[in-house]
Amino acid sequence: MTFILGLCTLFLTLFLLLWLFLILPRVTGRADMELLCRDYAHRGLWGNGIPENSLSAFAEAVQRGYGIELDLQLSKDRVLMVFHDDTLNRLCGVSGRIGEMTCAELKRLRLVGTDETIPTLSEVLALVRGRVPLMIEIKGERTDPVLCRRAVHLLDAYMGPFCIVSFSPLILRWFKHYRPTYARGQLVTRITKHQRKGSRLISLLLSHVLLNVLSRPDFLSVNERYRRRPVYRFCLRILRIPCFAWTVRAKQDRQKLRKQGWHCIFERICP
């Protein structure tokens, strides 16, 4: 009986050590998060006629002193465009994708009936000029080395605070290898529940941050619907990983999250 109990204790200890190894963030050489740990306006401070991910939305966020979360994709001629959706339908009223059109063609489109155009990352960096931090989401499910290389070409010369986030641990692993000084964050949600596609196994591993072993992120950015899961509380309280909750749409929710130690990525409110 003592032998069986000892064997069970050994297996449990090994399991816990393996689990801890898989979920650990970056341990050595961590990026400086001091200027980055604050609240961010999701796709800029948009609303009241200002489109999301537009220069006007970013200017509003800068004016009010909020960090800016934005999305990055490549045009057909490999220009870095700031745009969230997979298709152009919702925001531009035309069919097609960012990657199917050149930058010049995309610039002829207008965002939700306004005079705003789809900005390039160069335009955003020139507008912000380091006055507020940027949280830059690299779109894509797999590593796109062209997108990553183009991004670092601009960001290496940028003087303001910024961090990289992605749902793909492979993209974050690219930055781990080629730009280890960049702060990087793992985006977390139940992917198959929201997109109705993809591998359930991969979604399970991602939602329980078991693929941190690949990316070793400096922080987590978690869908606020799932923030109460024990693994996130463990990361926040025990491992002391900075955690961001998205997308917060009520002031009372933001206040509650802030008291619990979370930073917020918000929209439709002005905290």
Side-chain angles (χ1 to χ4, degrees), residues 19-34:
W19 174 74
L20 185 61
F21 172 74
L22 293 175
I23 72 167
L24 275 177
R26 180 169 10 187
V27 177
T28 59
R30 281 191 177 185
D32 186 0
M33 294 290 297
E34 182 178 357

Side-chain angles (χ1 to χ4, degrees), residues 6 22-23 39-40 42 44 55 91 131 187 189 206 234 257:
L22 293 175
I23 72 167
D39 289 355
Y40 288 76
H42 188 231
L55 290 179
L91 289 173
R131 289 175 289 174
L187 282 165
T189 190
L206 284 172
F234 181 83
L257 285 162

Side-chain angles (χ1 to χ4, degrees), residues 101-148:
M101 302 177 71
T102 66
C103 177
E105 291 170 334
L106 292 168
K107 280 295 185 180
R108 288 196 285 268
L109 303 177
R110 294 296 180 264
L111 295 172
V112 290
T114 68
D115 291 331
E116 295 284 340
T117 61
I118 301 171
T120 65
L121 180 60
S122 296
E123 291 173 328
V124 175
L125 297 181
L127 169 71
V128 177
R129 302 194 311 276
R131 289 175 289 174
V132 297
L134 301 175
M135 182 177 288
I136 302 171
E137 179 182 345
I138 306 294
K139 305 296 286 185
E141 298 177 356
R142 298 178 177 84
T143 306
D144 185 344
V146 176
L147 195 162
C148 296

Side-chain angles (χ1 to χ4, degrees), residues 81-248:
M81 310 299 296
V82 178
F83 196 80
H84 172 268
D85 292 5
D86 289 335
T87 66
L88 296 160
N89 302 62
R90 180 175 69 91
L91 289 173
C92 298
V94 299
S95 60
R97 300 174 180 271
I98 287 283
E100 297 171 346
M101 302 177 71
T102 66
C103 177
E105 291 170 334
L106 292 168
K107 280 295 185 180
R108 288 196 285 268
L109 303 177
R110 294 296 180 264
L111 295 172
V112 290
T114 68
D115 291 331
E116 295 284 340
T117 61
I118 301 171
T120 65
L121 180 60
S122 296
E123 291 173 328
V124 175
L125 297 181
L127 169 71
V128 177
R129 302 194 311 276
R131 289 175 289 174
V132 297
L134 301 175
M135 182 177 288
I136 302 171
E137 179 182 345
I138 306 294
K139 305 296 286 185
E141 298 177 356
R142 298 178 177 84
T143 306
D144 185 344
V146 176
L147 195 162
C148 296
R149 286 196 297 267
R150 295 252 172 191
V152 300
H153 177 72
L154 294 178
L155 294 172
D156 281 349
Y158 182 64
M159 300 304 293
F162 67 89
C163 57
I164 299 294
V165 295
S166 180
F167 283 107
S168 170
L170 298 179
I171 288 175
L172 295 180
R173 187 175 65 170
W174 188 96
F175 284 94
K176 173 187 172 184
H177 287 304
Y178 295 103
R179 287 301 184 277
T181 57
Y182 286 16
R184 55 184 184 265
Q186 180 65 59
L187 282 165
V188 182
T189 190
R190 290 178 61 188
I191 294 175
T192 52
K193 181 174 182 178
H194 298 286
Q195 297 186 357
R196 309 293 182 185
K197 63 180 182 179
S199 165
R200 290 187 177 182
L201 175 60
I202 297 298
S203 179
L204 179 67
L205 294 174
L206 284 172
S207 64
H208 289 82
V209 294
L210 294 171
L211 295 181
N212 280 2
V213 66
L214 298 177
S215 57
R216 293 297 184 217
D218 296 290
F219 63 94
L220 300 178
S221 184
V222 181
N223 186 331
E224 60 91 19
R225 299 179 187 178
Y226 310 120
R227 69 180 187 274
R228 295 184 180 86
R229 286 185 174 180
V231 65
Y232 307 139
R233 294 184 179 182
F234 181 83
C235 289
L236 181 65
R237 301 295 183 188
I238 306 302
L239 298 181
R240 295 294 187 181
I241 305 175
C243 289
F244 296 78
W246 55 272
T247 306
V248 180

Side-chain angles (χ1 to χ4, degrees), residues 53-71:
N53 272 332
S54 67
L55 290 179
S56 293
F58 300 145
E60 283 289 318
V62 170
Q63 182 178 356
R64 296 175 182 267
Y66 300 124
I68 296 171
E69 186 271 350
L70 56 88
D71 308 280

